[in-house]
Amino acid sequence: MSHLLNLGVLISGRGSNLQAIMDEIDRGEVAARILVVVSNEPEAYGLKRAEGGGIPSIVVNHREYESREAFEERLIEVLRDYGVELVVLAGFMRVLTSHFLKAFPMRVVNIHPALLPAFPGLGVQEKAVNYGVRFSGCTVHFVDEGVDAGPIIAQAVVPVFPTDTGDTLAERILRMEHRIYPKVIQWISEGRVRVEGRRVFVHGANFGEEIAFIEPVV
Ligand code: GAR
């Protein structure tokens, strides 16, 4: 059997992206295994999902650390102990500094519920609705030292309807998140992802169906 990519998934809440990745692994669509789920929030529902999937989980509560660096040091320790190769941020609501990123250079990916570089930060689905954009979507990117700023691997586009609220748009975007995130992990696992500066090239991926997904397809 070919090598399974060893994942560590970092969450803060609901964990629906974690679930989507677990499901695609179970379906044999993603050649990876989740060695550990780490949450900075003790009450995160995603911890129950990890348990349901028989995946070890650990809480690293940032409030219990005196500095960001001490918190990150503990994260690094846990991820290294488990032999994690790719760190997957799935609704992880803490910004990671260069201290953490140096431990996993270009081995941290994130999903963001907007079409970056538009709408970085928090509460972005509502911001997109209120701004009046006609399209939004989600972005999977490598994490660098900026906030929601690293090289883009894949994006999916959804329409924004006049009747939308932040919540209805978030739901539409989330369905796309669950499609593109497992796919990106599979590409990385297959060694098909190459980064040149800001540009990411995915060997053999279909433009329009994969790396730049539009829903509904036009
Ligand atoms: C997702 O929409 C994800 O894109 C977003 O939080 C949600 C987590 O949902 N992430 C960010 O905003 C990161 N800044 P989930 O816990 O159900 O996967």
Side-chain angles (χ1 to χ4, degrees):
M1 194 167 69
S2 67
H3 175 72
L4 294 177
L5 185 65
N6 290 323
L7 310 178
V9 181
L10 270 52
I11 62 167
S12 298
R14 181 179 53 184
S16 72
N17 277 289
L18 164 67
Q19 188 71 56
I21 295 163
M22 288 167 56
D23 291 349
E24 291 306 288
I25 289 173
D26 285 350
R27 281 158 38 96
E29 297 291 333
V30 177
R33 56 185 171 191
I34 304 175
L35 298 180
V36 64
V37 169
V38 183
S39 174
N40 67 305
E41 293 290 352
E43 301 300 327
Y45 183 70
L47 290 167
K48 295 206 170 58
R49 299 184 192 263
E51 196 184 332
I55 299 167
S57 65
I58 291 185
V59 173
V60 182
N61 186 340
H62 59 280
R63 298 170 193 87
E64 291 170 5
Y65 294 82
E66 63 190 15
S67 65
R68 211 173 263 273
E69 190 164 318
F71 166 65
E72 292 186 350
E73 203 44 56
R74 178 66 186 140
L75 291 179
I76 294 167
E77 187 179 61
V78 168
L79 295 167
R80 283 208 176 126
D81 276 358
Y82 276 91
V84 165
E85 297 167 300
L86 183 72
V87 180
V88 177
L89 308 184
F92 184 66
M93 294 304 180
R94 306 296 298 170
V95 171
L96 294 169
T97 72
S98 59
H99 181 73
F100 182 90
L101 296 173
K102 274 190 201 126
F104 295 96
M106 289 312 262
R107 297 308 267 176
V108 184
V109 290
N110 182 43
I111 188 150
H112 181 75
L115 292 176
L116 293 171
F119 306 112
L122 297 176
V124 296
Q125 300 96 332
E126 193 177 5
K127 282 181 189 158
V129 169
N130 291 339
Y131 195 94
V133 293
R134 297 301 190 225
F135 295 95
S136 190
C138 50
T139 303
V140 180
H141 63 95
F142 286 107
V143 176
D144 68 8
E145 274 138 44
V147 175
D148 301 324
I152 291 169
I153 308 168
Q155 291 187 308
V157 175
V158 304
V160 182
F161 298 123
T163 48
D164 269 326
T165 62
D167 286 346
T168 59
L169 178 60
E171 233 174 84
R172 191 172 310 120
I173 291 173
L174 196 64
R175 286 199 291 274
M176 290 298 103
E177 295 187 37
H178 297 165
R179 290 170 75 161
I180 67 172
Y181 214 3
K183 207 166 253 234
V184 166
I185 293 165
Q186 171 61 9
W187 293 335
I188 294 173
S189 149
E190 291 171 338
R192 289 164 59 191
V193 177
R194 178 169 57 86
V195 186
E196 278 180 33
R198 274 215 59 87
R199 299 188 70 190
V200 177
F201 298 89
V202 183
H203 189 74
N206 291 328
F207 188 89
E209 288 169 35
E210 294 186 321
I211 50 178
F213 199 101
I214 301 175
E215 177 73 20
V217 177
V218 286

